[in-house]
Amino acid sequence: MARNISSNLTACILILDKSALVMLRWLVGGRVGPVWMWKALLFFVAIGFACQLLGVIFNKSMHTAGRSIFTSPDAQGPSLGSCQPHTHIMFLKTHKTASSTVLNMLYRFGEERDLRFALPLGYQLGYPLPFNAHRVKGYQSRGAMEYHIMGNHMRFNKPEVEKVMPADTFYFSIIRNPVALAESSFAYYKEVAPAFRKAKTLGDFADDPRKYYDPRLRNNHYARNLLLFDFGMDHNDNFSEALAQRAEKMIRQTFKLILVSEYFDQSMILLRHALCWPLDAVVSFSLNARQQKPSIPGGMSASWVGKVATAAGVAGKGGRSQAKTATNITEDQREKLRQWNALDWHLYKSFNQTFWEEIHRFGHPQMEEEVALLRMRREDLARVCLRDGGKPVEAHRIRDKNIRPYQSGLVKILGYELQPGLDNATRMSCLRMIRPEIQYKDVLDAKQFLRPLAAQPQPVQQNQGPMVAGSSLLRQDSPRTGGRLVGGEAGRRTVEEVERDWARSRSMRRNQTLIGEPDKG
């Protein structure tokens, strides 16, 4: 385009030169009259205006070509001082907490910097069984290879994770209000978790969970204390304050930052500062979003929620948690869900309090300023990257099949369409922001293991009910065992057993540090 405009400008100059010669001949020949003078003047004005217009277009196009929106100063955000970006990162991807959006950020950051991912053999790292290092594709032994980023679904098992990740790894995760989490899980896993399948509505389940729940049945872990299960502990233990505090302590000893889904933007600012990352690294569009029913009065705020958090089904406004209500349940039923998920409720309250303490130390004015910049940047990128103003659309409306999100049988997973006419560099950056989790994993796998990326078939459904994008149902790495004792009693580990394993892991790591043994993988 710039070459064509440059040619047009050259043509304009030639025309002006020739026109000037013609007019000069007329003047010398004495054939000039008042009418001809006016015609000549209008002729020159018209040509001059056309050339000026082409010049403006030329300058604008050269400016656009020379500086993409992703390379503008706004992409860096406020200064972080002299810190160096973290590149050894372990993200525990919990379920139904906007974790797919966070994983996309990690994928983008790592791909842009050619970092190595600890990728699963399938699409999960052995979930729902406790993680084992040999579930990482290409893993051979401790220290054989340096991995930078780990973030696919797993049931956390610290000693095995530490076999893969370096000693200086930054651990973080994200949590969500257990009531909102139960609502989302019920919608996604209704036909997968037997406890949910038996109940007609979430309200029925909340009224008498034990009527529907059998801890021995496969996939029932989705129906009780799902957060605690993902953190690798026994989610079926009866609640006690001592047990809950011990679980909380173990998480605090390993995870340096726990984000809160209801306050996603504030979480991203804390994460950016903790990792020393540029602003664009934590700007996102919601991924794995499910189509919502019309909002009930007071259910959603009009700021961040309307633009980003719809995917997570949560809202954040001021200092209070306002979980999006996707089903009509009473306050009494909500309280019953809190009691049923009492261990998760304890974790949520404790880490939510810690989260706001972190924001207080960070400074509320600075937080508000940086959140405003984050939201402004998201809107700018949405205008450049996305059709229809960035509104998520149903998968069948997305023309490019490679960016259509996989679908569950019960809920519609939404996606995005790219703005047409983008230059190659901008299009690639925009594509990374909207590429669904499953397809992105395949792209990284192909690059990391140097193989051509074949057509991306929908992952095989292994007789487990509806397939849910981004969930453990996309690929089960463990065999089915007659519908019993998997994800329930199988691999069941008490908090005391997990605590002993984690303590032994810390002791081994300290000894390795003392004797100077390298531990990079």
Side-chain angles (χ1 to χ4, degrees):
M1 179 180 176
R3 183 180 297 174
N4 291 337
I5 296 174
S6 179
S7 300
N8 290 337
L9 283 172
T10 303
C12 274
I13 294 171
L14 291 174
I15 290 171
L16 283 172
D17 287 343
K18 291 180 180 179
S19 300
L21 288 172
V22 170
M23 296 309 300
L24 183 61
R25 288 171 185 163
W26 277 99
L27 288 170
V28 172
R31 302 177 184 178
V32 180
V35 175
W36 280 103
M37 288 291 289
W38 281 109
K39 287 182 178 180
L41 180 62
L42 290 173
F43 179 73
F44 279 116
V45 169
I47 292 179
F49 178 76
C51 290
Q52 185 178 14
L53 181 62
L54 286 171
V56 170
I57 296 173
F58 176 75
N59 289 332
K60 189 172 182 180
S61 68
M62 289 298 291
H63 176 77
T64 302
R67 192 180 73 180
S68 166
I69 188 172
F70 288 95
T71 59
S72 71
D74 292 340
Q76 295 300 313
S79 173
L80 295 172
S82 59
C83 64
Q84 295 298 313
H86 278 277
T87 55
H88 291 147
I89 300 157
M90 192 279 159
F91 171 56
L92 179 61
K93 189 177 186 295
T94 50
H95 286 78
K96 316 322 307 168
T97 57
S99 61
S100 291
T101 303
V102 179
L103 182 61
N104 174 266
M105 298 174 193
L106 299 178
Y107 278 169
R108 284 157 36 202
F109 183 87
E111 183 187 15
E112 290 165 2
R113 291 158 181 83
D114 292 322
L115 302 182
R116 178 172 289 274
F117 292 87
L119 295 173
L121 297 171
Y123 292 94
Q124 276 68 229
L125 291 163
Y127 193 89
L129 296 178
F131 172 72
N132 182 284
H134 291 282
R135 294 293 184 182
V136 173
K137 187 172 182 177
Y139 175 81
Q140 296 175 349
S141 62
R142 183 192 293 270
M145 183 181 297
E146 181 183 16
Y147 291 96
H148 297 94
I149 297 175
M150 173 182 280
N152 293 85
H153 275 309
M154 70 159 64
R155 189 178 184 196
F156 190 67
N157 184 3
K158 184 178 179 181
E160 290 294 308
V161 170
E162 288 184 336
K163 291 180 182 179
V164 180
M165 300 302 294
D168 64 347
T169 296
F170 182 91
Y171 289 75
F172 78 102
S173 188
I174 185 168
I175 61 173
R176 183 180 181 186
N177 186 312
V179 175
L181 181 60
E183 292 173 331
S184 183
S185 296
F186 189 86
Y188 273 87
Y189 306 125
K190 179 72 167 70
E191 296 302 316
V192 174
F196 289 156
R197 188 165 57 241
K198 294 175 184 177
K200 184 177 180 181
T201 67
L202 179 60
D204 291 339
F205 176 82
D207 284 333
D208 189 4
R210 296 188 185 279
K211 175 181 176 182
Y212 304 100
Y213 184 80
D214 183 342
R216 299 168 298 174
L217 294 183
R218 180 187 182 90
N219 288 330
N220 261 352
H221 65 279
Y222 291 115
R224 189 179 193 192
N225 291 316
L226 181 54
L227 289 174
L228 196 74
F229 182 88
D230 286 350
F231 275 102
M233 288 169 258
D234 187 358
H235 63 133
N236 284 314
D237 276 337
N238 292 323
F239 178 84
S240 74
E241 195 66 33
L243 179 66
Q245 289 178 0
R246 195 180 312 130
E248 175 192 340
K249 180 181 178 182
M250 292 169 59
I251 294 171
R252 290 188 187 279
Q253 288 174 341
T254 299
F255 292 85
K256 302 304 180 186
L257 181 63
I258 299 293
L259 310 178
V260 180
S261 180
E262 281 80 359
Y263 309 104
F264 193 84
D265 284 358
Q266 293 88 342
S267 293
M268 292 303 99
I269 298 302
L270 291 181
L271 182 64
R272 173 180 181 256
H273 282 261
L275 296 178
C276 193
W277 280 9
L279 180 62
D280 269 10
V282 297
V283 175
S284 63
F285 307 134
S286 251
L287 299 180
N288 201 26
R290 62 185 168 115
Q291 191 173 50
Q292 298 286 350
K293 296 178 181 179
S295 299
I296 62 172
M300 298 278 277
S301 70
S303 56
W304 160 61
V305 181
K307 296 170 184 158
V308 173
T310 302
V314 295
K317 186 177 181 180
R320 298 180 180 179
S321 170
Q322 295 182 324
K324 165 70 174 152
T325 302
T327 54
N328 295 319
I329 59 174
T330 67
E331 184 54 42
D332 180 61
Q333 289 168 336
R334 293 176 187 280
E335 180 57 33
K336 289 178 179 178
L337 286 173
R338 293 185 193 102
Q339 293 175 9
W340 175 246
N341 297 283
L343 291 168
D344 274 7
W345 180 238
H346 174 91
L347 294 181
Y348 180 79
K349 288 189 299 180
S350 298
F351 285 108
N352 186 56
Q353 180 178 340
T354 302
F355 178 83
W356 288 101
E357 290 171 355
E358 290 281 348
I359 289 180
H360 181 73
R361 285 190 291 270
F362 185 87
H364 287 277
Q366 183 181 355
M367 176 59 71
E368 290 178 3
E369 178 182 342
E370 295 203 22
V371 165
L373 289 173
L374 176 75
R375 292 170 178 169
M376 188 183 307
R377 183 65 177 166
R378 180 187 297 129
E379 291 175 359
D380 289 344
L381 294 181
R383 278 194 294 269
V384 170
C385 292
L386 307 179
R387 294 177 75 110
D388 303 325
K391 182 180 178 182
V393 297
E394 295 180 14
H396 70 271
R397 292 180 54 198
I398 299 174
R399 296 170 179 83
D400 185 350
K401 294 181 180 180
N402 289 323
I403 56 174
R404 287 179 184 173
Y406 291 124
Q407 298 298 302
S408 160
L410 296 179
V411 293
K412 292 182 178 179
I413 310 299
L414 305 180
Y416 299 95
E417 280 209 287
L418 286 176
Q419 196 78 264
L422 299 173
D423 64 83
N424 289 339
T426 302
R427 186 182 187 281
M428 178 56 67
S429 295
C430 292
L431 178 61
R432 286 179 177 139
M433 295 187 72
I434 68 169
R435 182 177 278 141
E437 176 183 340
I438 304 306
Q439 289 95 315
Y440 212 150
K441 184 266 174 184
D442 288 338
V443 168
L444 295 175
D445 190 294
K447 291 180 66 174
Q448 191 159 301
F449 295 95
L450 300 178
R451 60 178 176 80
L453 184 64
Q456 298 171 353
Q458 189 156 322
V460 178
Q461 182 178 341
Q462 297 187 1
N463 215 15
Q464 301 177 97
M467 182 178 64
V468 181
S471 81
S472 64
L473 306 178
L474 284 165
R475 171 75 175 265
Q476 285 286 6
D477 296 320
S478 57
R480 189 178 177 102
T481 57
R484 281 198 167 302
L485 304 181
V486 176
E489 297 292 331
R492 179 171 180 174
R493 305 159 78 216
T494 66
V495 172
E496 289 82 359
E497 291 172 333
V498 175
E499 190 172 28
R500 284 197 300 271
D501 286 346
W502 289 18
R504 188 181 306 115
S505 175
R506 287 196 303 274
S507 177
M508 290 174 61
R509 187 57 61 93
R510 281 197 299 270
N511 291 338
Q512 290 162 359
T513 303
L514 288 173
I515 65 177
E517 178 183 332
D519 182 20
K520 291 187 177 182

